[in-house]
Amino acid sequence: MNAPTPMIRLTTQRQIILEELSKVKTHPTASEVYDMVRKRLPRIGLGTVYRNLELMAENGMIAKLEVGGTQKRFDATTESHYHIRCSCCGKVEDIDIPIIDSLVGTAAKNSSYQIFGHHIEFTGICSECQKNEGNITIQ
Amino acid sequence: MNAPTPMIRLTTQRQIILEELSKVKTHPTASEVYDMVRKRLPRIGLGTVYRNLELMAENGMIAKLEVGGTQKRFDATTESHYHIRCSCCGKVEDIDIPIIDSLVGTAAKNSSYQIFGHHIEFTGICSECQKNEGNITIQ
DNA sequence: CTGCATGCAAACCGTTTGCATCCCC
DNA sequence: GGGGATGCAAACGGTTTGCATGCAG
Protein backbone atom coordinates (compact mmCIF):
# COMPACT_ATOMS: atom_id res chain seq x y z
CA MET A 1 0.00 0.00 0.00
CA ASN A 2 2.82 2.33 0.85
CA ALA A 3 5.32 3.63 -1.66
CA PRO A 4 8.29 1.33 -2.23
CA THR A 5 11.43 2.26 -0.30
CA PRO A 6 12.68 5.13 -2.35
CA MET A 7 16.47 5.39 -2.17
CA ILE A 8 16.88 9.10 -1.85
CA ARG A 9 20.39 10.43 -1.69
CA LEU A 10 21.04 12.91 1.07
CA THR A 11 22.85 15.66 -0.79
CA THR A 12 24.19 18.77 0.94
CA GLN A 13 21.20 20.76 -0.26
CA ARG A 14 18.70 18.24 1.03
CA GLN A 15 20.46 18.00 4.36
CA ILE A 16 20.46 21.74 4.86
CA ILE A 17 16.86 22.12 3.78
CA LEU A 18 15.95 19.45 6.32
CA GLU A 19 18.02 21.07 9.05
CA GLU A 20 16.58 24.50 8.48
CA LEU A 21 13.07 23.16 8.36
CA SER A 22 13.64 21.34 11.64
CA LYS A 23 14.85 24.48 13.35
CA VAL A 24 11.55 26.32 13.20
CA LYS A 25 8.28 25.54 14.90
CA THR A 26 6.17 27.45 12.40
CA HIS A 27 5.53 25.77 9.09
CA PRO A 28 7.28 27.78 6.44
CA THR A 29 6.31 28.16 2.80
CA ALA A 30 8.74 27.05 0.12
CA SER A 31 10.14 30.53 -0.34
CA GLU A 32 10.59 30.98 3.39
CA VAL A 33 12.59 27.78 3.37
CA TYR A 34 14.49 29.12 0.38
CA ASP A 35 15.38 32.27 2.31
CA MET A 36 16.59 30.32 5.32
CA VAL A 37 18.63 27.91 3.24
CA ARG A 38 20.13 30.62 1.09
CA LYS A 39 21.92 32.09 4.09
CA ARG A 40 24.00 28.93 4.20
CA LEU A 41 23.99 28.05 0.49
CA PRO A 42 23.78 31.34 -1.36
CA ARG A 43 23.85 29.73 -4.81
CA ILE A 44 21.00 27.29 -4.26
CA GLY A 45 18.16 27.62 -6.76
CA LEU A 46 14.52 28.08 -5.91
CA GLY A 47 13.73 25.11 -8.13
CA THR A 48 15.99 22.88 -6.08
CA VAL A 49 14.17 23.85 -2.91
CA TYR A 50 10.79 23.13 -4.45
CA ARG A 51 11.93 19.87 -6.00
CA ASN A 52 13.45 18.63 -2.77
CA LEU A 53 10.64 19.69 -0.48
CA GLU A 54 8.26 17.86 -2.78
CA LEU A 55 10.51 14.84 -2.99
CA MET A 56 11.10 14.61 0.74
CA ALA A 57 7.38 14.94 1.34
CA GLU A 58 6.71 12.06 -1.05
CA ASN A 59 9.19 9.98 0.86
CA GLY A 60 7.66 10.79 4.20
CA MET A 61 10.74 12.58 5.48
CA ILE A 62 8.75 15.76 5.99
CA ALA A 63 5.09 16.67 5.75
CA LYS A 64 3.44 18.87 3.20
CA LEU A 65 0.57 20.78 4.77
CA GLU A 66 -2.45 21.37 2.64
CA VAL A 67 -3.77 24.18 4.75
CA GLY A 68 -5.77 27.23 3.85
CA GLY A 69 -4.07 30.07 2.04
CA THR A 70 -2.50 30.03 -1.36
CA GLN A 71 0.91 28.64 -0.55
CA LYS A 72 1.94 25.16 0.44
CA ARG A 73 3.65 24.86 3.78
CA PHE A 74 6.12 22.31 5.04
CA ASP A 75 6.70 20.66 8.37
CA ALA A 76 9.65 18.68 9.65
CA THR A 77 7.54 16.56 11.98
CA THR A 78 5.45 14.00 10.19
CA GLU A 79 3.28 12.77 13.04
CA SER A 80 -0.27 13.88 12.61
CA HIS A 81 -1.29 16.95 14.59
CA TYR A 82 -3.62 19.88 14.16
CA HIS A 83 -2.78 23.40 13.15
CA ILE A 84 -3.78 26.94 13.81
CA ARG A 85 -3.47 29.73 11.29
CA CYS A 86 -3.31 33.40 12.14
CA SER A 87 -5.88 35.22 10.01
CA CYS A 88 -3.82 38.34 10.38
CA CYS A 89 -0.24 37.40 9.47
CA GLY A 90 -0.89 34.00 7.90
CA LYS A 91 1.54 32.15 10.16
CA VAL A 92 0.76 28.47 10.77
CA GLU A 93 1.66 26.71 14.01
CA ASP A 94 0.89 23.45 15.75
CA ILE A 95 -1.88 23.26 18.27
CA ASP A 96 -1.49 20.78 21.06
CA ILE A 97 -4.76 18.97 21.39
CA PRO A 98 -5.16 15.21 21.05
CA ILE A 99 -5.98 13.65 17.70
CA ILE A 100 -9.60 12.52 17.51
CA ASP A 101 -9.25 9.10 15.97
CA SER A 102 -12.97 8.44 16.00
CA LEU A 103 -13.62 11.20 13.47
CA VAL A 104 -12.64 9.17 10.44
CA GLY A 105 -14.97 6.37 11.47
CA THR A 106 -17.86 8.74 12.04
CA ALA A 107 -17.25 10.38 8.71
CA ALA A 108 -16.98 7.05 6.88
CA LYS A 109 -20.48 6.08 8.04
CA ASN A 110 -21.85 9.23 6.44
CA SER A 111 -20.06 9.14 3.15
CA SER A 112 -19.48 7.11 0.03
CA TYR A 113 -15.82 8.06 0.12
CA GLN A 114 -13.11 5.70 1.18
CA ILE A 115 -11.73 7.94 3.90
CA PHE A 116 -8.17 7.69 5.07
CA GLY A 117 -7.40 10.90 6.86
CA HIS A 118 -8.53 14.14 8.33
CA HIS A 119 -7.12 17.43 9.41
CA ILE A 120 -8.36 20.18 11.68
CA GLU A 121 -7.33 23.74 11.19
CA PHE A 122 -8.20 26.46 13.65
CA THR A 123 -8.25 30.12 12.76
CA GLY A 124 -7.50 32.93 15.13
CA ILE A 125 -5.20 35.82 15.88
CA CYS A 126 -1.72 35.07 17.18
CA SER A 127 -0.39 36.87 20.26
CA GLU A 128 1.89 39.18 18.29
CA CYS A 129 -0.94 40.32 16.05
CA GLN A 130 -3.17 40.81 19.09
CA LYS A 131 -0.67 43.40 20.32
CA ASN A 132 -0.91 45.28 17.06
CA GLU A 133 -4.67 45.61 17.39
CA GLY A 134 -5.84 48.58 15.38
CA ASN A 135 -3.59 48.16 12.40
CA ILE A 136 -4.77 44.67 11.60
CA THR A 137 -5.50 43.57 8.08
CA ILE A 138 -7.33 40.30 7.90
CA GLN A 139 -6.03 38.18 5.09
CA MET B 1 -17.70 43.77 14.75
CA ASN B 2 -19.31 42.66 11.51
CA ALA B 3 -18.90 44.45 8.24
CA PRO B 4 -21.34 47.29 7.68
CA THR B 5 -24.36 46.47 5.55
CA PRO B 6 -22.87 46.39 2.12
CA MET B 7 -25.34 47.51 -0.51
CA ILE B 8 -24.35 45.20 -3.31
CA ARG B 9 -26.24 45.52 -6.53
CA LEU B 10 -27.52 42.29 -7.96
CA THR B 11 -26.40 42.55 -11.56
CA THR B 12 -27.20 39.92 -14.17
CA GLN B 13 -23.69 38.53 -13.85
CA ARG B 14 -23.88 38.26 -10.08
CA GLN B 15 -27.28 36.67 -10.24
CA ILE B 16 -26.16 34.03 -12.70
CA ILE B 17 -22.96 33.31 -10.82
CA LEU B 18 -25.03 32.80 -7.69
CA GLU B 19 -27.55 30.62 -9.50
CA GLU B 20 -24.91 28.42 -11.05
CA LEU B 21 -23.04 28.10 -7.78
CA SER B 22 -26.25 27.10 -6.03
CA LYS B 23 -26.93 24.38 -8.60
CA VAL B 24 -23.97 22.20 -7.68
CA LYS B 25 -23.26 20.34 -4.49
CA THR B 26 -19.51 20.22 -5.05
CA HIS B 27 -17.60 23.37 -4.34
CA PRO B 28 -16.22 24.62 -7.60
CA THR B 29 -13.10 26.67 -8.17
CA ALA B 30 -13.36 30.09 -9.76
CA SER B 31 -12.64 28.78 -13.23
CA GLU B 32 -15.17 25.99 -12.84
CA VAL B 33 -17.72 28.68 -11.98
CA TYR B 34 -16.50 30.64 -14.98
CA ASP B 35 -17.10 27.66 -17.25
CA MET B 36 -20.60 27.12 -15.90
CA VAL B 37 -21.53 30.78 -16.16
CA ARG B 38 -20.06 31.19 -19.63
CA LYS B 39 -22.61 28.77 -21.03
CA ARG B 40 -25.26 31.35 -20.23
CA LEU B 41 -23.21 34.53 -20.58
CA PRO B 42 -20.60 33.76 -23.23
CA ARG B 43 -19.01 37.21 -23.08
CA ILE B 44 -18.44 37.33 -19.32
CA GLY B 45 -14.85 37.92 -18.28
CA LEU B 46 -12.84 35.77 -15.93
CA GLY B 47 -12.03 38.88 -13.94
CA THR B 48 -15.70 39.57 -13.36
CA VAL B 49 -16.18 36.09 -11.99
CA TYR B 50 -13.25 36.45 -9.61
CA ARG B 51 -14.27 39.93 -8.53
CA ASN B 52 -17.84 38.92 -7.84
CA LEU B 53 -17.06 35.67 -6.08
CA GLU B 54 -14.71 37.58 -3.81
CA LEU B 55 -17.23 40.35 -3.29
CA MET B 56 -20.11 38.03 -2.55
CA ALA B 57 -17.94 36.12 -0.11
CA GLU B 58 -17.05 39.34 1.72
CA ASN B 59 -20.74 40.10 1.99
CA GLY B 60 -21.57 36.70 3.35
CA MET B 61 -23.74 35.77 0.38
CA ILE B 62 -21.54 32.78 -0.36
CA ALA B 63 -18.62 31.12 1.40
CA LYS B 64 -15.03 31.02 0.29
CA LEU B 65 -13.43 27.74 1.30
CA GLU B 66 -9.83 27.83 2.30
CA VAL B 67 -9.27 24.15 1.82
CA GLY B 68 -6.24 22.18 0.78
CA GLY B 69 -5.09 22.35 -2.79
CA THR B 70 -3.90 25.39 -4.67
CA GLN B 71 -7.20 26.85 -5.77
CA LYS B 72 -9.84 28.63 -3.78
CA ARG B 73 -13.25 27.04 -3.83
CA PHE B 74 -16.68 28.55 -3.40
CA ASP B 75 -19.85 27.39 -1.76
CA ALA B 76 -23.36 28.73 -2.03
CA THR B 77 -24.30 27.60 1.48
CA THR B 78 -22.73 29.69 4.18
CA GLU B 79 -23.60 27.64 7.26
CA SER B 80 -20.55 26.02 8.72
CA HIS B 81 -20.00 22.39 7.81
CA TYR B 82 -17.11 20.06 7.18
CA HIS B 83 -15.68 18.94 3.87
CA ILE B 84 -14.13 15.97 2.23
CA ARG B 85 -11.65 16.16 -0.58
CA CYS B 86 -10.93 13.40 -3.06
CA SER B 87 -7.19 12.86 -3.20
CA CYS B 88 -7.61 11.47 -6.65
CA CYS B 89 -9.68 14.00 -8.60
CA GLY B 90 -9.49 16.92 -6.18
CA LYS B 91 -13.26 17.33 -5.90
CA VAL B 92 -14.53 18.84 -2.64
CA GLU B 93 -17.91 17.93 -1.16
CA ASP B 94 -19.77 18.40 2.10
CA ILE B 95 -19.67 15.73 4.73
CA ASP B 96 -22.69 15.39 6.91
CA ILE B 97 -21.46 15.09 10.46
CA PRO B 98 -22.35 17.48 13.26
CA ILE B 99 -20.19 20.48 14.03
CA ILE B 100 -18.13 19.97 17.17
CA ASP B 101 -18.59 23.25 18.98
CA SER B 102 -16.43 22.25 21.90
CA LEU B 103 -13.31 22.11 19.74
CA VAL B 104 -12.68 25.84 19.75
CA GLY B 105 -12.87 25.95 23.54
CA THR B 106 -10.49 23.02 23.91
CA ALA B 107 -8.08 24.59 21.49
CA ALA B 108 -8.27 28.00 23.19
CA LYS B 109 -7.11 26.45 26.47
CA ASN B 110 -3.99 25.18 24.74
CA SER B 111 -3.01 28.21 22.76
CA SER B 112 -2.08 31.85 23.02
CA TYR B 113 -4.18 32.58 19.95
CA GLN B 114 -7.52 34.26 20.12
CA ILE B 115 -9.38 31.51 18.31
CA PHE B 116 -12.58 32.15 16.45
CA GLY B 117 -13.11 29.27 14.13
CA HIS B 118 -12.15 25.85 12.97
CA HIS B 119 -12.57 23.62 10.01
CA ILE B 120 -12.24 19.89 9.47
CA GLU B 121 -11.29 18.44 6.15
CA PHE B 122 -11.33 14.74 5.45
CA THR B 123 -9.36 13.14 2.68
CA GLY B 124 -10.36 10.04 0.82
CA ILE B 125 -11.26 8.59 -2.54
CA CYS B 126 -14.66 9.39 -3.98
CA SER B 127 -16.88 6.64 -5.34
CA GLU B 128 -16.22 7.47 -8.99
CA CYS B 129 -12.47 7.32 -8.49
CA GLN B 130 -12.82 4.06 -6.58
CA LYS B 131 -14.31 2.56 -9.74
CA ASN B 132 -11.29 3.63 -11.75
CA GLU B 133 -8.94 1.83 -9.42
CA GLY B 134 -5.75 1.01 -11.22
CA ASN B 135 -5.43 4.18 -13.20
CA ILE B 136 -5.42 6.44 -10.19
CA THR B 137 -3.03 9.30 -9.84
CA ILE B 138 -2.95 10.72 -6.37
CA GLN B 139 -2.75 14.47 -6.46
C1' DC C 1 31.65 6.95 -17.16
C1' DT C 2 26.85 7.28 -16.06
C1' DG C 3 23.07 9.06 -13.95
C1' DC C 4 21.05 11.69 -10.68
C1' DA C 5 21.08 16.48 -8.71
C1' DT C 6 21.78 21.21 -9.34
C1' DG C 7 21.45 26.27 -10.90
C1' DC C 8 19.33 29.04 -13.94
C1' DA C 9 15.75 30.82 -16.57
C1' DA C 10 11.73 30.42 -19.02
C1' DA C 11 7.10 28.64 -18.88
C1' DC C 12 2.95 27.87 -16.44
C1' DC C 13 -1.31 28.47 -13.81
C1' DG C 14 -4.39 30.72 -10.84
C1' DT C 15 -5.45 35.22 -9.48
C1' DT C 16 -5.40 40.27 -9.44
C1' DT C 17 -5.46 44.71 -11.48
C1' DG C 18 -5.65 48.82 -14.75
C1' DC C 19 -8.26 50.75 -18.04
C1' DA C 20 -11.59 52.05 -21.45
C1' DT C 21 -16.32 51.23 -22.16
C1' DC C 22 -20.94 50.29 -20.71
C1' DC C 23 -25.09 50.47 -18.15
C1' DC C 24 -28.16 51.62 -14.51
C1' DC C 25 -29.81 55.00 -11.36
C1' DG D 1 -24.41 62.70 -16.33
C1' DG D 2 -21.96 60.01 -12.86
C1' DG D 3 -20.50 55.98 -10.32
C1' DG D 4 -20.23 51.48 -10.14
C1' DA D 5 -19.80 47.11 -13.03
C1' DT D 6 -18.01 44.91 -16.98
C1' DG D 7 -14.80 42.81 -20.64
C1' DC D 8 -10.38 42.58 -21.92
C1' DA D 9 -5.66 42.07 -21.48
C1' DA D 10 -1.60 42.72 -19.14
C1' DA D 11 0.73 41.99 -14.72
C1' DC D 12 1.63 39.28 -10.75
C1' DG D 13 3.07 35.63 -7.35
C1' DG D 14 3.81 30.98 -6.51
C1' DT D 15 5.19 26.75 -8.61
C1' DT D 16 6.94 23.72 -12.21
C1' DT D 17 9.88 22.43 -15.90
C1' DG D 18 13.60 22.10 -19.60
C1' DC D 19 18.17 22.17 -20.16
C1' DA D 20 23.11 22.45 -19.84
C1' DT D 21 26.43 21.65 -16.33
C1' DG D 22 28.27 19.51 -12.10
C1' DC D 23 29.18 15.98 -9.00
C1' DA D 24 29.05 11.50 -6.55
C1' DG D 25 29.12 6.66 -7.00
Side-chain angles (χ1 to χ4, degrees), chain B:
Chain B
M1 208 67 187
N2 285 327
T5 321
M7 191 185 77
I8 171 175
R9 227 168 66 200
L10 198 57
T11 62
T12 314
Q13 286 83 343
R14 285 177 193 158
Q15 208 166 324
I16 293 188
I17 289 171
L18 202 50
E19 281 175 23
E20 290 300 315
L21 188 57
S22 307
K23 273 188 194 164
V24 294
K25 63 179 192 323
T26 66
H27 305 314
T29 64
S31 35
E32 285 166 355
V33 174
Y34 176 56
D35 288 341
M36 301 186 313
V37 170
R38 208 160 29 151
K39 287 179 188 148
R40 296 172 59 186
L41 286 178
R43 294 189 51 81
I44 196 172
L46 226 199
T48 303
V49 173
Y50 273 99
R51 255 187 302 243
N52 284 332
L53 285 172
E54 202 63 40
L55 202 147
M56 292 195 282
E58 274 168 28
N59 285 274
M61 301 169 62
I62 63 174
K64 173 163 55 162
L65 310 186
E66 299 267 347
V67 296
T70 358
Q71 293 165 261
K72 289 170 188 166
R73 291 177 173 273
F74 296 87
D75 187 345
T77 57
T78 53
E79 299 109 49
S80 173
H81 52 266
Y82 300 140
H83 295 106
I84 182 160
R85 181 160 50 95
C86 178
S87 305
C88 182
C89 66
K91 180 169 55 188
V92 174
E93 297 186 81
D94 291 342
I95 189 152
D96 188 23
I97 66 173
I99 300 291
I100 312 173
D101 290 309
S102 62
L103 269 178
V104 168
T106 312
K109 287 195 197 95
N110 292 278
S111 168
S112 61
Y113 280 58
Q114 179 187 333
I115 301 181
F116 47 72
H118 78 287
H119 177 242
I120 304 186
E121 186 180 329
F122 293 89
T123 34
I125 311 273
C126 74
S127 39
E128 283 103 77
C129 287
Q130 285 177 46
K131 287 177 200 148
N132 303 344
E133 236 181 321
N135 43 348
I136 288 185
T137 15
I138 300 286
Q139 288 196 333

Side-chain angles (χ1 to χ4, degrees), chain A residues 74-91:
Chain A
F74 296 86
D75 187 344
T77 58
T78 53
E79 300 108 50
S80 173
H81 53 264
Y82 301 141
H83 294 106
I84 182 159
R85 180 159 52 94
C86 178
S87 304
C88 182
C89 66
K91 179 169 57 187

Side-chain angles (χ1 to χ4, degrees), chain A residues 1-16:
Chain A
M1 207 64 186
N2 286 326
T5 320
M7 190 185 78
I8 172 176
R9 227 168 65 199
L10 198 55
T11 63
T12 313
Q13 286 84 342
R14 283 175 194 162
Q15 208 165 323
I16 293 188

Side-chain angles (χ1 to χ4, degrees), chain A residues 9 30-31 46-47 50-51 54 70-72:
Chain A
R9 227 168 65 199
S31 33
L46 227 198
Y50 272 99
R51 256 186 302 242
E54 203 61 42
T70 358
Q71 293 167 264
K72 289 171 187 165

